[in-house]
Amino acid sequence: MFGLIKGMGITLKNLAKPKVTYKYPHEPLEMPDRYRGIQHFDPEKCIVCNQCARICPTDCITLTGKKHPDPNKKGKIIDTYDINFEICILCDLCTEVCPTEAIIMTSNFELATYSRDDLFKNMKWLHENDQNIRQDNISSKPKPGGNQA
Amino acid sequence: MDFFVILGPVVLLFIVLGFVTYAIFFERKVIGWIQNRVGPNQVGPWGLLQTVADVLKLLIKEDVIPQKADVSLFKLAPIIAYTPAFAVLAVIPFTESLKFADIAVGLLYYMAVSSITTIGILLGGWASNNKYALLGGMRSAAQMISYEIPLVLSVVGVAMSAGSLNLTEIVKAQQTGVWFVLPQFLGFIVFLIAAIAELSRTPFDLPEAESELVAGYHTEYSGFRFAFFMLAEYTYIFAMASLITLLFFGGWSAPFGLTFIPPLIWFIFKFLFFVFFLFWLRATMPRIRVDQLMEFAWKVLLPLAILNIFLTALFKEIPVLSQFY
Amino acid sequence: MLRTEEMLLNVGPQHPSTHGVLRLVVKIDGEIIQDAEPVIGYLHRGTEKLAEDLNYTQIIPYTDRMDYLSAMTNNYAICHATETLMELEIPERAEFLRVIVMELNRVASHLVWLGTYLLDIGAMSPFLYCFRDREQILNLFNELCGARLTYNYMRVGGVKWDAPPGWLDKVKEFVKYMRNQMPEYHGLISGNEIFIQRTRGIGIVTQEMAISYGLSGANLRCTGVKWDLRKNQPYSIYDRFDFDVPVGKTGDLYDKYHCRMQEIIESLKIVEQAVEGFPEGGSTMAKVPRVLRVPEGEVYVGIESPRGELGCHIVSKGKDKPWRLKFRRPSFYNLQILPALLKGQNIANLVAILGGIDIVLGEVDC
């Protein structure tokens, strides 16, 4: 009997405690800088090395390149770049391998749509997704102050 | 007078519906606060219209009857469950003048009529042709029958002290002496536990134990038939909270001579305290197990209730104490 | 004696307390269980087979989805196995970060267990309280690696991210906060007579039974067997920390509960020590080649996940992909004892016993 009364005291005490829930979606959730949201893509920087498509565990990235329009320059430029967010698991490996930071994470995460087709994002869409881009992109390098414990 | 007889129950029905609406809302709010949440706050100002919206949703839902169900019983069950819940309110006096039926055996009437609901629940569970519903219905029947006995026996002490089974008389008996919660404390505890079990609220919510039986006897019910079961459940909360107030807390009588507050307000105040207590309990307690529930009723509550009767009879004969009994 | 008929009851795959998509075919007589048979596989995704077609880095996000309540330990299992085969030296800083996140994850996982267990038994509020506290851990992880559940944090040779500025202070604060929360849980649950009634003496596992069924984790320790891979086969840098292995006596559900509650305390102890001794500077990644080619060979490593011994067996043929990968998932092994425990119990105990085993269906089905 005593334990029950003690438990009731604890629940009563919690009645007055401040609420811990978020007001999402009325107030947008602020995600930390490292948050793995939807990728931002910068066609200017892409060198069509295909590394992102190769590292992707779910094969959700498809890209094609074309020859550089300026005949004096070597290499390719990006032609199409699509990410299928139906199967993308936001594992961040594509941004990790990208040598030029052409593909980079943002902390936007709202992807819900009414149609699966809308989840197929092309280069233009990914390029326009340019808010909340991750600042701190050099992973696994000791940060100054990382151990300011 | 005729006017009151006809219109009174209708008004009461709407009061009960209003109570049920806001009891559900209040329950969700209280449990939300206890769990560091805000509770429903989207529909209407402060979420006040949440239950209204929920009920509306239930009413416009498709009326689903399982193919293999016993259709007529399936339809009948919610009615059988709800009718007695409303019928018991007839004998509850809210104040000295505000009452519907002033019968001499009011208490007995309450106990007798309220047990009819069990039949509705059992029928619903059986007619659904669902194994979980059947288990829930069976549990419900077993639980109601076992807990009715200590429930009735625990109020015998009150009836002995008041010398009447009429609820108005019981309240009047408390106005001259102390509230029965003090002299009948043992009876009160037994009654409280048995009442919670009768209401099948946590920790005795076995008939609809969500984690075990999905939804118990109303697993297959949806739409307004489901709403009727819910309505019955919350109407019983209304009735039971009223009854506890009447039997043990002096009904509408004001404590400490605070008579400037009208009796009806006192009644509502005491009544709401019990409603809150039920919600608070629900937020705290885990569920008791079905066999332990039975053991508890027969081996603990029943002897205690009988002991209470003997003690009341004994104390009535002791000169100093008898003024309290 | 009245002749009664037995009834087959399908518990799950859609049932509030099967913790996912487990299905139990239960033969009941009244409410007494005569026979129970777990049917698994509803969440089978073929992780092990898929892994044969993925390189070692690509497997890591898949392991996140096995035991989704403690993805960090899964990450570690595959990384540790690969590193063992490659004989890599892991930088100090990475090891400390790994230990911190794994132990925090253990706390988070046990909190989910506690909350859902109490929900199974019928109490609502502890569930919300547990999630309130777990939220803090998830926020810490979110800040560290950018995800709340599927961390994909560890890499072969180290970890992906170093701790962001001020993160370790937050961890320290959390340890303090969590310690203060423990009395609340104990007050609400441990002394609750109904909870004691529901758990004490129920689902008793004897030591012999536990060992012969291959149980591990709290399921084994509650019977009194002091077996914790962090102590008995130290991996990573666990040998440097001072912590106890809580054991039970009777092997009933109440002991399981207490084992897990104490494990939370022990984990917090480890986190605290790891934050204290966190090395200054240094890299968080070992020098690994761009393309990971694991030398030919075979390795099995077992680590202590919140649920028990999480093993990872890799057979490599010297390619950048494993030739065969096998996970020993503790939930899968622990679940096997369920039919034996359920015989003769009633439906209410089914839920309590199933919850006590602490299965994660993502891991059972893998």
Side-chain angles (χ1 to χ4, degrees):
Chain A
M1 203 65 193
F2 181 70
L4 298 180
I5 293 163
K6 197 173 166 193
M8 302 217 35
I10 287 168
T11 43
L12 195 66
K13 222 172 9 187
N14 270 293
L15 187 69
K17 278 192 191 163
K19 312 287 166 261
V20 294
T21 43
Y22 303 126
K23 288 204 175 66
Y24 184 80
H26 298 297
E27 286 170 17
L29 269 185
E30 282 292 320
M31 282 297 170
D33 183 51
R34 287 178 183 180
Y35 187 73
R36 309 202 303 254
I38 308 161
Q39 292 91 336
H40 163 72
F41 181 71
D42 191 351
E44 302 279 302
K45 289 184 187 161
C46 182
I47 53 168
V48 203
C49 65
N50 238 333
Q51 284 203 56
C52 50
R54 245 183 292 140
I55 195 75
C56 181
T58 58
D59 277 338
C60 68
I61 304 177
T62 36
L63 61 91
T64 54
K66 62 182 176 197
K67 259 193 142 151
H68 206 286
D70 185 353
N72 299 329
K73 285 206 174 130
K74 271 196 276 182
K76 285 175 163 181
I77 61 160
I78 193 81
D79 189 20
T80 62
Y81 193 93
D82 304 303
I83 300 182
N84 183 358
F85 279 99
E86 256 186 89
I87 54 174
C88 174
I89 55 174
L90 301 172
C91 66
D92 204 9
L93 289 177
C94 48
T95 68
E96 193 174 315
V97 295
C98 186
T100 58
E101 292 191 8
I103 184 147
I104 194 166
M105 275 291 167
T106 71
S107 52
N108 305 329
F109 55 88
E110 278 160 342
L111 264 173
T113 62
Y114 285 102
S115 161
R116 289 181 166 213
D117 302 345
D118 297 341
L119 290 172
F120 200 78
K121 305 294 190 196
N122 60 13
M123 186 160 78
K124 187 164 168 285
W125 192 95
L126 288 168
H127 183 54
E128 279 160 9
N129 178 35
D130 55 359
Q131 297 302 305
N132 307 317
I133 290 175
R134 182 192 280 167
Q135 303 299 315
D136 171 28
N137 246 313
I138 312 129
S139 56
S140 74
K141 215 172 122 190
K143 303 288 171 307
N147 50 349
Q148 286 172 346
Chain B
M1 191 61 205
D2 278 340
F3 185 68
F4 181 72
V5 167
I6 297 164
L7 214 60
V10 179
V11 174
L12 181 67
L13 179 65
F14 279 101
I15 290 174
V16 169
L17 287 179
F19 164 79
V20 171
T21 309
Y22 284 96
I24 293 173
F25 173 74
F26 186 56
E27 171 167 28
R28 292 176 63 181
K29 272 284 186 196
V30 167
I31 292 177
W33 292 331
I34 284 178
Q35 295 168 347
N36 306 144
R37 300 183 284 121
V38 280
N41 65 346
Q42 299 293 305
V43 190
W46 309 289
L48 278 172
L49 296 177
Q50 179 66 50
T51 323
V52 180
D54 287 344
V55 171
L56 214 64
K57 185 207 79 178
L58 285 178
L59 291 183
I60 59 174
K61 251 179 135 169
E62 187 193 346
D63 180 26
V64 183
I65 297 175
Q67 211 169 26
K68 298 247 171 104
D70 189 327
V71 179
S72 49
L73 285 182
F74 188 82
K75 285 180 178 168
L76 193 63
I79 302 169
I80 297 182
Y82 179 67
T83 314
F86 189 60
V88 295
L89 295 181
V91 290
I92 305 267
F94 298 105
T95 66
E96 193 151 13
S97 53
L98 186 64
K99 57 193 161 194
F100 293 91
D102 195 12
I103 52 177
V105 287
L107 191 54
L108 215 55
Y109 168 86
Y110 181 102
M111 300 297 171
V113 171
S114 70
S115 48
I116 299 176
T117 296
T118 316
I119 299 174
I121 290 173
L122 189 60
L123 274 187
W126 187 80
S128 306
N129 204 356
N130 176 309
K131 288 165 182 171
Y132 289 112
L134 182 66
L135 283 173
M138 288 299 181
R139 275 186 179 188
S140 166
Q143 180 176 334
M144 298 294 167
I145 291 165
S146 336
Y147 274 86
E148 225 136 65
I149 294 160
L151 187 77
V152 173
L153 287 180
S154 65
V155 293
V156 169
V158 172
M160 283 163 80
S161 294
S164 170
L165 282 171
N166 181 311
L167 289 169
T168 317
E169 293 297 320
I170 289 174
V171 173
K172 278 188 181 152
Q174 296 176 68
Q175 277 167 341
T176 51
V178 287
W179 291 354
F180 284 146
V181 64
L182 291 177
Q184 293 286 336
F185 190 69
L186 191 59
F188 169 68
I189 295 294
V190 174
F191 184 85
L192 188 67
I193 296 171
I196 297 165
E198 278 285 283
L199 294 170
S200 25
R201 305 269 316 168
T202 318
F204 304 103
D205 57 342
L206 292 139
E208 42 197 296
E210 195 205 331
S211 57
E212 295 154 26
L213 299 182
V214 190
Y217 59 88
H218 54 59
T219 305
E220 293 289 351
Y221 280 91
S222 72
F224 67 91
R225 290 181 213 285
F226 169 74
F228 255 81
F229 277 122
M230 284 304 268
L231 196 60
E233 200 183 313
Y234 280 86
T235 309
Y236 269 121
I237 292 180
F238 183 90
M240 200 55 98
S242 307
L243 195 65
I244 292 182
T245 309
L246 292 171
L247 291 179
F248 295 101
F249 287 86
W252 57 83
S253 43
F256 316 118
L258 295 167
T259 42
F260 63 90
I261 300 169
L264 188 63
I265 303 293
W266 272 117
F267 183 87
I268 291 172
F269 182 73
K270 292 172 190 171
F271 164 87
L272 284 181
F273 177 77
F274 280 101
V275 175
F276 172 75
F277 178 75
L278 285 176
F279 298 160
W280 178 21
L281 207 63
R282 177 160 176 218
T284 315
M285 295 289 140
R287 186 180 305 117
I288 203 161
R289 211 173 62 214
V290 63
D291 51 324
Q292 293 165 347
L293 177 96
M294 293 299 162
E295 267 175 36
F296 188 63
W298 295 103
K299 292 186 183 165
V300 181
L301 287 186
L302 188 61
L304 280 179
I306 293 171
L307 178 72
N308 181 53
I309 296 173
F310 279 113
L311 285 180
T312 310
L314 193 69
F315 288 153
K316 253 178 117 68
E317 296 305 314
I318 297 173
V320 189
L321 284 170
S322 65
Q323 56 173 321
F324 298 113
Y325 285 89
Chain C
M1 199 59 185
L2 209 65
R3 201 186 71 86
T4 51
E5 223 168 279
E6 283 167 351
M7 176 163 93
L8 269 186
L9 186 69
N10 257 308
V11 182
Q14 290 98 7
H15 184 277
S17 47
T18 48
H19 294 244
V21 282
L22 174 70
R23 177 171 154 222
L24 285 167
V25 182
V26 186
K27 196 190 272 175
I28 50 172
D29 180 9
E31 282 215 18
I32 307 297
I33 296 167
Q34 306 292 327
D35 201 12
E37 191 195 341
V39 181
I40 61 171
Y42 288 90
L43 204 58
H44 180 65
R45 292 146 298 181
T47 307
E48 286 165 2
K49 190 70 192 168
L50 280 168
E52 291 170 17
D53 215 20
L54 298 167
N55 69 35
Y56 288 93
T57 315
Q58 286 175 324
I59 299 169
I60 299 166
Y62 278 83
T63 62
D64 283 337
R65 283 146 181 89
M66 268 174 18
D67 178 357
Y68 41 77
L69 294 181
S70 73
M72 288 292 186
T73 37
N74 295 338
N75 279 187
Y76 185 73
I78 178 82
C79 290
H80 183 45
T82 318
E83 285 154 7
T84 314
L85 206 51
M86 290 174 78
E87 288 165 359
L88 275 178
E89 185 84 24
I90 311 303
E92 191 90 322
R93 205 177 165 86
E95 289 281 28
F96 269 87
L97 276 167
R98 283 178 172 188
V99 167
I100 291 171
V101 294
M102 277 197 287
E103 292 310 314
L104 282 178
N105 214 173
R106 192 184 310 276
V107 175
S109 171
H110 281 345
L111 280 176
V112 176
W113 172 80
L114 181 65
T116 51
Y117 190 55
L118 265 292
L119 203 62
D120 285 349
I121 285 186
M124 276 198 287
S125 295
F127 176 72
L128 274 294
Y129 297 155
C130 288
F131 270 58
R132 173 192 66 195
D133 295 342
R134 173 177 176 254
E135 183 69 19
Q136 310 234 2
I137 303 178
L138 296 193
N139 282 341
L140 285 172
F141 285 160
N142 200 3
E143 227 170 286
L144 179 69
C145 58
R148 292 160 51 86
L149 214 57
T150 50
Y151 309 115
N152 190 17
Y153 178 59
M154 295 182 198
R155 293 287 182 275
V156 176
V159 293
K160 178 170 162 69
W161 297 99
D162 193 9
W167 190 77
L168 290 168
D169 292 328
K170 285 184 191 164
V171 172
K172 233 185 199 170
E173 239 164 72
F174 170 76
V175 172
K176 219 166 77 247
Y177 167 82
M178 193 62 214
R179 285 224 175 101
N180 289 333
Q181 290 303 108
M182 292 312 274
E184 187 176 299
Y185 289 118
H186 282 300
L188 196 56
I189 303 160
S190 306
N192 189 309
E193 280 84 355
I194 299 177
F195 179 76
I196 296 171
Q197 282 283 315
R198 285 295 301 269
T199 51
R200 189 165 277 166
I202 307 294
I204 294 177
V205 186
T206 59
Q207 285 193 8
E208 296 74 43
M209 209 170 153
I211 292 167
S212 64
Y213 272 94
L215 300 190
S216 49
N219 279 300
L220 176 68
R221 286 192 288 271
C222 72
T223 63
V225 182
K226 204 165 183 157
W227 179 259
D228 188 320
L229 293 177
R230 291 175 293 176
K231 279 262 193 237
N232 297 78
Q233 300 172 3
Y235 53 92
S236 190
I237 47 168
Y238 276 109
D239 46 355
R240 298 190 207 169
F241 302 115
D242 168 43
F243 63 99
D244 289 329
V245 179
V247 288
K249 279 194 199 87
T250 53
D252 62 0
L253 296 172
Y254 194 66
D255 270 12
K256 266 180 208 171
Y257 160 77
H258 268 293
C259 271
R260 293 202 171 105
M261 289 302 266
Q262 277 164 35
E263 268 173 43
I264 293 180
I265 297 283
E266 297 304 323
S267 287
L268 291 176
K269 247 194 213 165
I270 298 174
V271 172
E272 198 171 42
Q273 291 170 47
V275 172
E276 284 305 322
F278 199 75
E280 299 266 331
S283 170
T284 56
M285 264 308 259
K287 282 214 172 348
V288 285
R290 266 189 101 75
V291 179
L292 286 173
R293 282 193 203 286
V294 175
E296 199 166 331
E298 219 174 298
V299 71
Y300 174 85
V301 296
I303 62 162
E304 188 73 26
S305 101
R307 263 151 277 280
E309 179 179 348
L310 173 64
C312 179
H313 186 180
I314 296 179
V315 183
S316 169
K317 298 274 183 193
K319 300 266 171 52
D320 61 338
K321 290 164 184 157
W323 184 77
R324 175 79 172 92
L325 180 66
K326 160 85 185 156
F327 285 107
R328 182 212 187 270
R329 295 103 58 199
S331 293
F332 176 76
Y333 288 85
N334 293 347
L335 183 64
Q336 306 310 315
I337 202 171
L338 188 66
L341 287 183
L342 285 184
K343 219 155 271 174
Q345 305 284 356
N346 63 17
I347 298 273
N349 280 350
L350 177 149
V351 175
I353 292 170
L354 176 63
I357 293 176
D358 187 17
I359 50 165
V360 168
L361 263 295
E363 194 180 49
V364 172
D365 293 341
C366 186

